Amino acid sequence: METLWSDFLNSEWHDWRGSGRSEDRLELPVWQERFLSGWQLAALVPMPAEEALAMRRFRERLHALAVKLAEGGGMDDGDWQLLNEHLAPDAVTRRLIGGPGDVRLEYIPMTEDWRHVRAEIAASFGETLLAGDTGRIRVCDNPDCRWIFYDDTRNRTKKYCDDKMCGNLMKVRRFRARKKAGMERDED
């Protein structure tokens, strides 16, 4: 299951196949448009330089927090402060929408900018914390990938961001390593 916060964190892409290539997609207008439309958010594209710097800093700190939680660590005061400092400047109004039998409460942003986007990312991460699901935050076991993901499996044992890509690649690597080790023993 992809979350708003994990999609944001994974804007720093690493080639999962092991070429060593990486790309910071955060400042690419095509990534920004896909991200905003995919999560039904609005902000200026391309992202202004000062907003790009703020987004990159937030991503670095949130990534470090996600890795800490994935390794079994807990939240400390600085971690709560990180989330709250990005929630605080966001202003929203509430509106009831619908009719009989189908009423819902919606939060309408007062501004549609990258500050609001950061607040939504922080809120998304906060929802994961509120659900008590920090044990489901994972870092892909493929050392070349390093994607952060939310493990939505029943038994909480998912190791790879994608079983068909990273999972199969690591399976093939393990097979080849065993085969090579067996061939080296036969040569001795």
Side-chain angles (χ1 to χ4, degrees), residues 55-137:
M55 293 291 284
R56 203 168 24 275
R57 285 182 181 152
F58 181 45
R59 183 183 63 193
E60 289 169 8
R61 293 178 66 197
L62 190 60
H63 187 276
L65 174 56
V67 169
K68 179 173 94 169
L69 294 173
E71 293 172 347
M75 296 285 291
D76 61 35
D77 289 342
D79 300 329
W80 294 113
Q81 183 180 345
L82 167 67
L83 297 174
N84 285 325
E85 74 185 36
H86 291 284
L87 289 169
D90 191 41
V92 295
T93 60
R94 293 178 238 180
R95 183 178 306 155
L96 290 170
I97 298 177
D102 183 32
V103 178
R104 66 187 180 280
L105 180 64
E106 286 192 359
Y107 292 88
I108 311 297
M110 298 293 286
T111 60
E112 294 183 327
D113 58 14
W114 289 101
R115 268 185 327 177
H116 174 69
V117 172
R118 283 193 303 277
E120 288 296 315
I121 293 166
S124 170
F125 196 84
E127 288 169 0
T128 300
L129 298 173
L130 287 169
D133 289 341
T134 59
R136 291 182 178 267
I137 298 172

Side-chain angles (χ1 to χ4, degrees), residues 2 26 31 62 80 82 100 106 136 138-139 152 172 177:
E2 188 168 50
L26 186 65
W31 181 88
L62 190 60
W80 294 113
L82 167 67
E106 286 192 359
R136 291 182 178 267
R138 303 269 194 270
V139 179
D152 61 347
V172 168

Side-chain angles (χ1 to χ4, degrees), residues 145-162:
C145 176
R146 301 182 291 217
W147 268 37
I148 304 287
F149 65 95
Y150 179 85
D151 178 4
D152 61 347
T153 61
R154 182 184 298 202
N155 58 5
R156 301 178 182 215
T157 58
K158 189 172 179 177
K159 296 171 121 184
Y160 303 104
C161 63
D162 186 302

